[in-house]
Amino acid sequence: MPTCAGTEQTTTVIIGSGLPGLAVASELRRRGVDSITVDALETLGGTQSANPVALPRCDAPNSASLHERNEILRHLRNYASSHNLDIRSNTRAVRLNLLGTELSGPSVHQWAVHTPDGILLAHHIVLTRGAHSQLRRMLAGLGLALGQNLAAAMRAIGIYLVGVGELITPTPREVLRQAKVVGQAISAKVHPDSVPSVLTGSFAALPSPA
């Protein structure tokens, strides 16, 4: 819903319109949570960069893995089209601003995602690209203290990670698992009375480091 010229508000902004982004958007729709999906974040922490942040590359997948990935992607694209998900593949996020770390109510937005088309205000952000070192620099650039568990530190300020690997890109099935976990976590915060109590805690999008 537009709030003023060039500004829109939603519950969740998903940054990255590939398989991880579509998986999260689909999971949130199934749980009745609004979202807008845009293309990958060009910068972390507002620092200008000529290239979008990309995942570290892994070894080339075999034909079976590629077939599975393509089938999952086809299914997600069909779901997005048939359910009119707000997927803006041609809109790129260019800057991410933290508006506040304490929410006083469901109408308060704590994140602003700047795009060439305007500003998206959201309670939650899902990142689907960026190495852990880049994400840590982003948090530091926002003036936030970091703990040992990156995923927990980001969840505390409303950021979730899906499809983000340390050394290798997660498999499609692992991405779907992460999307489901993040969908549960966000839904539990948006609709706390409509999910079992076991789903109302924090969920790690990535396994905690050993």
Side-chain angles (χ1 to χ4, degrees):
M1 177 186 299
T3 56
C4 63
T7 302
E8 296 175 85
Q9 61 181 4
T10 187
T11 301
T12 304
V13 170
I14 302 164
I15 299 177
S17 56
L19 189 151
L22 292 176
V24 178
S26 299
E27 189 66 34
L28 291 176
R29 170 55 63 88
R30 294 186 187 103
R31 296 174 179 275
V33 178
D34 294 333
S35 69
I36 296 174
T37 301
V38 296
D39 200 9
L41 189 66
E42 286 185 351
T43 62
L44 288 177
T47 303
Q48 293 300 314
S49 172
N51 299 307
V53 175
L55 284 170
R57 297 185 65 84
C58 63
D59 293 336
N62 57 38
S63 58
S65 297
L66 279 175
H67 178 72
E68 179 184 49
R69 180 186 183 281
N70 290 338
E71 281 298 302
I72 292 174
L73 191 55
R74 182 181 63 82
H75 173 77
L76 290 173
R77 285 172 174 165
N78 288 340
Y79 183 91
S81 177
S82 63
H83 289 79
N84 298 313
L85 301 191
D86 195 340
I87 310 295
R88 307 181 187 184
S89 302
N90 295 321
T91 298
R92 185 176 294 274
V94 295
R95 192 168 78 252
L96 182 63
N97 288 137
L98 178 63
L99 304 178
T101 56
E102 294 184 2
L103 297 181
S104 59
S107 62
V108 179
H109 295 82
Q110 61 179 344
W111 289 102
V113 179
H114 297 256
T115 79
D117 301 322
I119 300 173
L120 305 176
L121 302 178
H123 306 291
H124 311 283
I125 299 293
V126 179
L127 296 178
T128 65
R129 290 188 181 183
H132 285 190
S133 59
Q134 293 169 317
L135 298 177
R136 286 186 177 278
R137 286 197 297 271
M138 182 190 76
L139 288 181
L142 293 171
L144 300 170
L146 299 176
Q148 292 297 315
N149 190 326
L150 175 64
M154 302 193 86
R155 288 196 310 273
I157 56 171
I159 295 182
Y160 299 84
L161 308 177
V162 174
V164 177
E166 184 62 76
L167 298 176
I168 63 172
T169 304
T171 65
R173 289 185 180 275
E174 172 60 16
V175 167
L176 293 180
R177 185 195 69 80
Q178 292 177 12
K180 185 177 183 65
V181 166
V182 166
Q184 289 175 340
I186 294 176
S187 177
K189 292 184 177 181
V190 176
H191 306 299
D193 298 328
S194 64
V195 295
S197 59
V198 70
L199 297 182
T200 59
S202 297
F203 286 80
L206 297 171
S208 299

